[in-house]
Amino acid sequence: MKPSCLIMAAGLSRRMGREKLLLPLEDSTILGYMLRSLPLDEFERAIAVVSSKDVADIFENMGIEVIFNRAPEKGKSETIRLGTKALEGASGIMFLVADQPLISPETVSALCREYTENPNSIVIPVYCGNEGNPVIFPPECYEPLQNLSDDSGGRVVIEDNRGIVRKVDCGDNCQSLDTDTEEDYRKLLEIMGKLNP
């Protein structure tokens, strides 16, 4: 069975100081660029948890269901809780961060394939030896995911369940770049310049 996808897009962009998902990237935005390469047919269902109307509009224009996080100041645990609750009947949930625009469709598909073959596992990508995102969790992890607090993320649940972790080698480390700061954004633009001279 296909997993579902939860796109985490409700951050307050505190370190960036402005809405990072709407920053220009090529002929789109960081969010638009990421969504353009997301293979939605790999998923049973895809939802996004957002805190901004402008961000919500982008998802809705692509036909992706939106859930509003009305308390984003509580940290990423609130987004995880809302999304996991909305997808509680899913056979698995891929947690994908919206500020990781260089994630490739091949990586997403490889993770989904691994999960389909091992549906009781936590599936994690490895970029040049480093664990990253997105991560797929099985149903047995939904309760601990919903019980996270503050800015705790899925890493807590991963560490508590190392025995069921499966890793997928995804090669290029630039895929794992999160755009959290102005420096990250400059690095992203530099990488894009090299990829698309």
Side-chain angles (χ1 to χ4, degrees):
M1 294 193 298
K2 293 180 178 181
S4 290
C5 179
L6 167 59
I7 306 169
M8 300 174 61
L12 295 174
S13 301
R14 286 191 178 106
R15 282 181 284 173
M16 182 69 74
R18 50 183 172 154
E19 178 50 78
K20 60 185 177 181
L21 299 182
L22 302 181
L23 291 175
L25 188 60
E26 290 202 328
D27 61 345
S28 185
T29 59
I30 286 176
L31 176 58
Y33 189 92
M34 186 277 290
L35 290 176
R36 205 159 53 189
S37 62
L38 185 62
L40 291 172
D41 57 349
E42 293 284 2
F43 305 110
E44 183 68 29
R45 184 180 171 199
I47 68 169
V49 179
V50 307
S51 60
S52 158
K53 178 67 168 62
D54 290 336
V55 170
D57 288 343
I58 294 174
F59 284 111
E60 289 173 341
N61 288 338
M62 290 194 64
I64 296 174
E65 180 183 349
V66 166
I67 295 173
F68 272 90
N69 180 346
R70 305 293 181 185
E73 68 280 357
K74 291 184 178 180
K76 68 182 73 165
S77 64
E78 182 69 3
T79 290
I80 292 171
R81 184 186 69 78
L82 290 168
T84 304
K85 183 173 178 57
L87 292 170
E88 59 187 356
S91 61
I93 302 174
M94 173 180 282
F95 288 78
L96 193 148
V97 291
D99 64 347
Q100 191 175 326
L102 299 183
I103 187 74
S104 75
E106 292 79 15
T107 288
V108 172
S109 295
L111 295 170
C112 289
R113 245 186 341 266
E114 182 70 24
Y115 184 75
T116 299
E117 294 168 4
N118 301 278
N120 297 311
S121 302
I122 297 173
V123 177
I124 301 176
V126 177
Y127 306 102
C128 300
N130 300 307
E131 293 181 2
N133 290 308
V135 175
I136 306 178
F137 289 94
E140 67 189 79
C141 293
Y142 295 175
E143 184 175 350
L145 284 167
Q146 290 192 65
N147 289 332
L148 292 171
S149 60
D150 302 322
D151 210 33
S152 298
R155 291 290 154 192
V156 174
V157 179
I158 291 169
E159 293 306 323
D160 288 344
N161 293 276
R162 276 286 165 188
I164 62 170
V165 167
R166 296 187 70 90
K167 300 180 182 182
V168 177
D169 186 358
C170 296
D172 192 349
N173 201 39
C174 74
Q175 288 190 71
S176 65
L177 178 65
D178 289 336
T179 318
D180 289 326
T181 65
E182 291 288 349
E183 183 180 353
D184 293 337
Y185 183 45
R186 285 193 297 271
K187 183 177 180 180
L188 173 62
L189 295 177
E190 180 182 342
I191 290 170
M192 293 301 298
K194 291 178 179 178
L195 291 178
N196 303 292

